[in-house]
C-alpha cells in the first residue's frame, strides 16, 4: 500500500524538481517506510511506500524490470500474487524479489493490458514503457484504490490524492461548485468522476488508460457492475448460498496474507462478525486476532460484540463516542480527505484507524461494501417489491409483504397500498412527456433544512439529472449502489481515513468474484420478507453467534453527538458565521444561518447535522484559501 504521483510535461518539458518533491512529501502518510523517484525525459514518477509484503529494500519503488524496459509505480495489493508468480515462472518469467509489485510488472510483460483480468486485488498503477515512451495504467474493478488526474495545456498529473496534485503547485485550485451543491442539496458525493475541486477528476473504477508522451490518452472500462445480472434460469438457492460462502472464505484467506500484523474492525452486525469469525477459523492455532470497534451509547451493540469475541477469541480495543470531539477533529479529517465528508461517521472511521496504528497494526480487514453488494439497505426492500410488481408476480408480492408486516409489526394492507402507489408513480414518471414537465416545473433541488442555509443560486447548480435513477428494479439499484452511490464515497472514506494513519484497509466483500456472484443471485436471496442480505444470513448461520445472524435491526455506522459535543459544534459555528470571510463568501443564506445558530438545540439531530455540514463547508473552502474566491462574483461572471 503506497502513494504514487506522475508528472508529464505535455510539451516535452521536465517536471520541476520542487513540484515532484512537494507531491511526494504530501503523500508521506500513505507510505512512511520508503520513498523514491524516477525520471525519463518529460516524465517523472514519485512514490511513498507502506511496506506490507516483502519488507526488505527489494520492494522499493519505482521498480524497474531487470532489462530496464519497464518501470512501475503501484499502490495496492495483488492478493493472488503467489498463484500468479507460480504461473508466470512456468511461462519463463524470472523474479528477484518476493513482492507483489514485481509479480504485477511480470504479468504486464507476459500479458500486456489483459493482465488486469488475472488480478485479484485492489490497485492503482502506472507502468512506463521505455521503448514506446507510453504509460499504461489501471484502477481495480471496484475502485478500492484511487487515482486522480489533472491536466492543462502544459502538464498532466496523476496521483493517489488530490492533495498531492495541489502540492505540485502546477494547478490553480478552485471549488467545483456543482459537486459541492450536490453534496449539500442531495447528500451526494463521489457519484461521478468529477471531484469537489475543479479540474481534478478520478480515473474510473475498473478502467485502463494508455497515455502518450504528449499527454493524450485513451481510457476504457474492462469491468462494470452493469454487466452482471441474475441467472436465467436461476439455480437452486442452496447452490447460490454455498458458492457465496466459499468465495467469502477464500476472499478472507487471501486478504490475511501479510508480512505485518493484521487486525479487524468490528461492530455488532453480520458483516464484520462473519469476517472475524471466519478468520479465526482459517488462522493457525494460537493466532491472536485484534478487533477495533467504535461504540456509541445511543446505539449500543456491546453485548453482540461480546458474543463475537467469545467465539473468535479476538482481543477488543474500542473507542467511545464521548471521546470523539467532532469540532476538534473536523479540520484534521477534512485535510486528510481533501474533500467534504458525508457525515460525522467519517470522523469515527478516521479515529478507528488511528487506534489500530497506535496498537501496532498496519493492516485492518473490514466489512465495507457488504451493504451495497449484498443488499443491506432498507430501500432494497422497496426495489424488490417494485421488481415483483413490474414482472406481474402479484401473489409473490402479497406474500412477501405479509412476511414483512409480521416481522416488523406493520399493516400488510397499508404496505401493499404504499408499494402499489410507488409502482404507479414510477411508471408514470417513466413517461417521457411527464418527465420533461416534471423536470421543467418541479423543484430544481430538494428543499431541506440544509439546503435552506445556502444561496439558491448555488443550490441550483446541483446536477439533478445525474441523481435520478433510470431503473428502479432491484438489480439495477444494486448495480447503482456499487457503481454510482454510495459505494464510491465509502471507498474514498475508507482509503483516506486508513492511509492518513499509514494503515492498509482490506475489504473481503470487494473481491470481484463475490461481487459478480452477488449480482447473479435472484432477488429473494438479496432482500425479501423484511430481511436484508438473505444469502449472507444463510452463509453466516452456524458460523457466527445465532443472535447476530438472525438480527433484524440494522444500525449501519451511526455516530451520535452528545450534548457537550453538540455545543462545541455550535460554538464553532457561531464563531465562523461572525467572520468577514464567511459573510463575504456569497454562498450562504445568512438569515437562515443566523436563525439556526440562534435557535440551536443540542438534542435536535437536524440542528446538529445542519451545523456540522455548515461548518465543514466553510472549513473546506478555507482550506482552499486564496483560491476559493467569492461565489457571488463567479455567479455573476
Amino acid at each position: 500500500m503506497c502513494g504514487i504521483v506522475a508528472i508529464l510535461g505535455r510539451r516535452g518539458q521536465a517536471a520541476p524538481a520542487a513540484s515532484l518533491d512537494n507531491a511526494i512529501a504530501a503523500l508521506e502518510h500513505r507510505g512512511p517506510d520508503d520513498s523514491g523517484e524516477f525520471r525519463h525525459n518529460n516524465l517523472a514518477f514519485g512514490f511513498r511506500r507502506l511496506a506490507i509484503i516483502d519488507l526488505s529494500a527489494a520492494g522499493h519503488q519505482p521498480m524497474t524490470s531487470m532489462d530496464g524496459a519497464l518501470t512501475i509505480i503501484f499502490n495496492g495489493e495483488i492478493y493472488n500474487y503467489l498463484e500468479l508468480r507460480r504461473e508466470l515462472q512456468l511461462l519463463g518469467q524470472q523474479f528477484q524479489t518476493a513482492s507483489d509489485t514485481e509479480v504485477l510488472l511480470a504479468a504486464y510483460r507476459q500479458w500486456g493490458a489483459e493482465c488486469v483480468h488475472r488480478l485479484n486485488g485492489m490497485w492503482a498503477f502506472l507502468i512506463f514503457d521505455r521503448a514506446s515512451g507510453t504509460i499504461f495504467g489501471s484502477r481495480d474493478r471496484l475502485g478500492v484504490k484511487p487515482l486522480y488526474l489533472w491536466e492543462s495545456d502544459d502538464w498532466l498529473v496523476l496521483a493517489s490524492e488530490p492533495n498531492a496534485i495541489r502540492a505540485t503547485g502546477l494547478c490553480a485550485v478552485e471549488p467545483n461548485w456543482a459537486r459541492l451543491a450536490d453534496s449539500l442539496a442531495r447528500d451526494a458525493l463521489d457519484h461521478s468522476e468529477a471531484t469537489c475541486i475543479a479540474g481534478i477528476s478520478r480515473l474510473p473504477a475498473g478502467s485502463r488508460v494508455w497515455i502518450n508522451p504528449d499527454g493524450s490518452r485513451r481510457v476504457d472500462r474492462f469491468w462494470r457492475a452493469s454487466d452482471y445480472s441474475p441467472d436465467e434460469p436461476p439455480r437452486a438457492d442452496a447452490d447460490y448460498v454455498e458458492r457465496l460462502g466459499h468465495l467469502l472464505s477464500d476472499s478472507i484467506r487471501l486478504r490475511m496474507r501479510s508480512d505485518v500484523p493484521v487486525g479487524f474492525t468490528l461492530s455488532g452486525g453480520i458483516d464484520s462478525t462473519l469476517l472475524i469469525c471466519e478468520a479465526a477459523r482459517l488462522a493457525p492455532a494460537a493466532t491472536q486476532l485484534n478487533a477495533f470497534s467504535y461504540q456509541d451509547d445511543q446505539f449500543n451493540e456491546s453485548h453482540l460484540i461480546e458474543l463475537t469475541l467469545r467465539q473468535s477469541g479476538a482481543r477488543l480495543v474500542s473507542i467511545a463516542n464521548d471521546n470523539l470531539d467532532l469540532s476538534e477533529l473536523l479540520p484534521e479529517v477534512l485535510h486528510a480527505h481533501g474533500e467534504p465528508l458525508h457525515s460525522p461517521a467519517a470522523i469515527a472511521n478516521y479515529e478507528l484507524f488511528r487506534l489500530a496504528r497506535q496498537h501496532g497494526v498496519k493492516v485492518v480487514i473490514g466489512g465495507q461494501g457488504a451493504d451495497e453488494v449484498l443488499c443491506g439497505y432498507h430501500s432494497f426492500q422497496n426495489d424488490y417489491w417494485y421488481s415483483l410488481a413490474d414482472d406481474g408476480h402479484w401473489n409473490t408480492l402479497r406474500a412477501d409483504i405479509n412476511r414483512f408486516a409480521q416481522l416488523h409489526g406493520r399493516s400488510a394492507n397499508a404496505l401493499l397500498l404504499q408499494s402499489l402507489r410507488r409502482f404507479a408513480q414510477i411508471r408514470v414518471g417513466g413517461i417521457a412527456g411527464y418527465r420533461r414537465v416534471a423536470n421543467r416545473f418541479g423543484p430544481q433541488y430538494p428543499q431541506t433544512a440544509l439546503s435552506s442555509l445556502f444561496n439558491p443560486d448555488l443550490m441550483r447548480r446541483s446536477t439533478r439529472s445525474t441523481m435520478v435513477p433510470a431503473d428502479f428494479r432491484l438489480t439495477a439499484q444494486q448495480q447503482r449502489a456499487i457503481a454510482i452511490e454510495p459505494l464510491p464515497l465509502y471507498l474514498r472514506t475508507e482509503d483516506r481515513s486508513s492511509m492518513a494513519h499509514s494503515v492498509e484497509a482490506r475489504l473481503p466483500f470487494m473481491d470481484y468474484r463475490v461481487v459478480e456472484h452477488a449480482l447473479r443471485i435472484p432477488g429473494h436471496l438479496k432482500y425479501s420478507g423484511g430481511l436484508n442480505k438473505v444469502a449472507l444470513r444463510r452463509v453466516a448461520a452456524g458460523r457466527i453467534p445465532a443472535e447476530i445472524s438472525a438480527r433484524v435491526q440494522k444500525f449501519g455506522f451511526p455516530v451520535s453527538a452528545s450534548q457537550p459535543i453538540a455545543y462545541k459544534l455550535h460554538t464553532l459555528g457561531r464563531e465562523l458565521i461572525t467572520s468577514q470571510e464567511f459573510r463575504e463568501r456569497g454562498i450562504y443564506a445568512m438569515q437562515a444561518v443566523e436563525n439556526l445558530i440562534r435557535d440551536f438545540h443540542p438534542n435536535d439531530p437536524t440542528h446538529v447535522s445542519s451545523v456540522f455540514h455548515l461548518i465543514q463547508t466553510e472549513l473546506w473552502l478555507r482550506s482552499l484559501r486564496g483560491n476559493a474566491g467569492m461565489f457571488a462574483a463567479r455567479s455573476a461572471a
Side-chain angles (χ1 to χ4, degrees):
M1 188 65 63
C2 310
I4 62 175
V5 60
I7 305 175
L8 182 70
R10 302 189 70 170
R11 303 184 190 276
Q13 75 277 25
S19 293
L20 184 62
D21 291 345
N22 291 341
I24 294 173
L27 294 169
E28 182 176 2
H29 55 280
R30 296 186 74 93
D33 299 330
D34 189 19
S35 67
E37 61 180 73
F38 165 83
R39 286 180 175 271
H40 181 82
N41 296 333
N42 62 328
L43 172 66
F45 278 171
F47 177 77
R48 294 293 319 195
R49 183 187 185 198
L50 179 64
I52 301 294
I53 300 293
D54 188 354
L55 308 185
S56 73
H60 175 81
Q61 293 186 46
M63 181 180 288
T64 299
S65 59
M66 285 183 274
D67 62 2
L70 302 173
T71 298
I72 186 173
I73 48 175
F74 162 48
N75 169 31
E77 298 287 352
I78 307 302
Y79 299 121
N80 64 333
Y81 78 102
L82 293 177
E83 292 80 3
L84 284 174
R85 181 188 176 100
R86 288 191 290 269
E87 182 179 359
L88 288 163
Q89 284 175 324
L90 292 174
L91 293 170
Q93 297 290 336
Q94 297 179 352
F95 296 91
Q96 293 180 311
T97 78
S99 70
D100 60 338
T101 304
E102 191 180 19
V103 171
L104 176 54
L105 197 56
Y108 177 73
R109 175 184 288 282
Q110 183 69 40
W111 298 304
E114 297 306 303
C115 70
V116 295
H117 295 290
R118 296 173 177 265
L119 307 178
N120 186 339
M122 53 181 182
W123 68 80
F125 67 79
L126 298 168
I127 298 175
F128 172 65
D129 186 326
R130 186 181 295 266
S132 64
T134 60
I135 300 168
F136 172 72
S138 176
R139 239 183 121 197
D140 64 79
R141 296 172 181 84
L142 279 303
V144 178
K145 288 292 99 183
L147 188 59
Y148 292 87
L149 180 150
W150 171 86
E151 65 179 329
S152 68
D153 291 340
D154 295 320
W155 302 102
L156 176 68
V157 183
L158 300 102
S160 297
E161 295 182 7
N163 284 348
I165 296 177
R166 293 175 55 188
T168 65
L170 299 173
C171 63
V173 180
E174 300 281 350
N176 181 337
W177 295 111
R179 286 297 169 266
L180 183 61
D182 284 344
S183 73
L184 299 170
R186 308 183 190 283
D187 194 25
L189 280 166
D190 297 64
H191 54 285
S192 73
E193 272 65 70
T195 71
C196 284
I197 303 174
I200 297 181
S201 61
R202 300 170 185 81
L203 191 71
S207 67
R208 300 177 290 192
V209 59
W210 291 262
I211 304 172
N212 297 315
D214 64 356
S216 60
R217 63 189 181 277
R218 175 171 65 90
V219 178
D220 80 357
R221 299 288 294 273
F222 68 90
W223 191 93
R224 295 177 186 269
S226 57
D227 291 338
Y228 301 90
S229 57
D231 292 332
E232 288 294 344
R235 289 171 285 169
D237 287 1
D239 291 342
Y240 288 110
V241 173
E242 181 181 5
R243 175 69 173 160
L244 179 61
H246 169 75
L247 290 175
L248 274 173
S249 293
D250 195 55
S251 176
I252 296 165
R253 177 186 67 84
L254 290 177
R255 282 156 182 78
M256 291 176 68
R257 286 178 170 172
S258 172
D259 293 333
V260 298
V262 175
F264 293 79
T265 51
L266 180 63
S267 71
I270 295 174
D271 313 328
S272 61
T273 300
L274 179 59
L275 295 183
I276 198 167
C277 288
E278 192 66 6
R281 186 182 70 82
L282 295 170
T287 299
Q288 176 63 65
L289 300 180
N290 293 294
F292 301 95
S293 177
Y294 166 75
Q295 300 195 10
D296 193 305
D297 291 341
Q298 293 189 31
F299 306 94
N300 195 320
E301 298 180 305
S302 58
H303 71 290
L304 299 174
I305 290 174
E306 182 58 36
L307 292 175
T308 302
L309 296 176
R310 286 181 206 159
Q311 178 166 323
S312 66
R315 180 185 64 176
L316 179 68
V317 183
S318 62
I319 183 170
N321 65 314
D322 285 344
N323 297 324
L324 202 68
D325 190 328
L326 302 182
S327 60
E328 181 179 324
L329 289 167
L330 183 54
E332 179 184 343
V333 181
L334 279 172
H335 173 74
H337 279 250
E339 293 187 78
L341 313 174
H342 64 289
S343 79
I347 299 177
N349 196 49
Y350 181 88
E351 287 299 283
L352 265 184
F353 287 109
R354 189 202 301 272
L355 192 66
R357 187 66 186 200
Q358 288 172 344
H359 285 78
V361 174
K362 291 174 71 174
V363 173
V364 172
I365 295 175
Q368 194 68 265
D371 283 332
E372 294 80 15
V373 169
L374 292 160
C375 298
Y377 299 121
H378 297 310
S379 60
F380 285 124
Q381 177 70 81
N382 288 327
D383 299 325
Y384 177 56
W385 288 343
Y386 176 85
S387 299
L388 291 175
D390 198 42
D391 289 335
H393 296 157
W394 302 106
N395 290 335
T396 305
L397 172 63
R398 185 59 191 253
D400 198 78
I401 287 177
N402 285 338
R403 287 195 298 272
F404 181 99
Q406 292 170 6
L407 187 63
H408 295 276
R410 302 277 298 277
S411 165
N413 288 335
L415 286 169
L416 179 60
L417 182 61
Q418 175 185 322
S419 180
L420 294 176
R421 184 182 297 117
R422 180 174 183 268
F423 176 73
Q425 288 173 340
I426 291 172
R427 278 296 187 89
V428 172
I431 300 172
Y434 176 88
R435 291 178 70 90
R436 283 196 297 271
V437 172
N439 287 334
R440 182 173 180 181
F441 297 105
Q444 293 178 296
Y445 61 89
Q447 310 293 312
T448 65
L450 181 59
S451 66
S452 68
L453 300 176
F454 292 86
N455 186 325
D457 289 339
L458 171 63
M459 291 295 93
R460 280 191 284 268
R461 294 198 176 198
S462 177
T463 51
R464 180 183 187 195
S465 60
T466 66
M467 306 309 300
V468 179
D471 188 344
F472 289 85
R473 292 172 64 87
L474 176 58
T475 299
Q477 290 300 299
Q478 183 186 14
Q479 293 165 344
R480 178 182 172 84
I482 292 168
I484 300 176
E485 62 168 347
L487 184 59
L489 167 63
Y490 293 157
L491 292 179
R492 187 250 286 184
T493 300
E494 194 85 356
D495 174 80
R496 249 15 144 264
S497 295
S498 60
M499 295 307 293
H501 303 295
S502 306
V503 173
E504 175 175 299
R506 295 183 174 181
L507 309 174
F509 290 103
M510 293 291 90
D511 188 307
Y512 76 97
R513 300 169 302 168
V514 172
V515 176
E516 291 174 1
H517 180 68
L519 287 163
R520 290 187 177 110
I521 66 178
H524 67 274
L525 290 177
K526 295 175 181 178
Y527 202 135
S528 63
L531 288 176
N532 64 354
K533 303 174 186 170
V534 177
L536 185 66
R537 288 175 182 272
R538 296 186 186 181
V539 169
R543 302 193 193 195
I544 69 175
E547 186 175 347
I548 299 175
S549 63
R551 183 185 183 193
V552 175
Q553 188 178 30
K554 175 180 171 55
F555 284 154
F557 191 47
V559 174
S560 63
S562 63
Q563 275 204 10
I565 291 174
Y567 275 126
K568 284 186 178 182
L569 284 174
H570 176 251
T571 299
L572 178 56
R574 189 172 56 212
E575 292 173 357
L576 287 175
I577 73 165
T578 58
S579 69
Q580 182 177 355
E581 188 172 2
F582 185 96
R583 290 179 173 274
E584 293 181 353
R585 184 74 65 191
I587 67 170
Y588 302 110
M590 288 304 303
Q591 188 59 59
V593 169
E594 290 169 355
N595 291 344
L596 171 66
I597 297 299
R598 183 195 65 212
D599 301 332
F600 178 81
H601 196 290
N603 293 327
D604 187 327
T606 301
H607 283 192
V608 176
S609 177
S610 295
V611 170
F612 172 83
H613 285 287
L614 186 72
I615 290 170
Q616 79 144 342
T617 300
E618 178 62 19
L619 291 178
W620 180 72
L621 289 171
R622 290 188 182 192
S623 75
L624 309 180
R625 194 186 302 274
N627 298 289
M630 303 305 168
F631 178 79
R634 277 174 167 69
S635 296

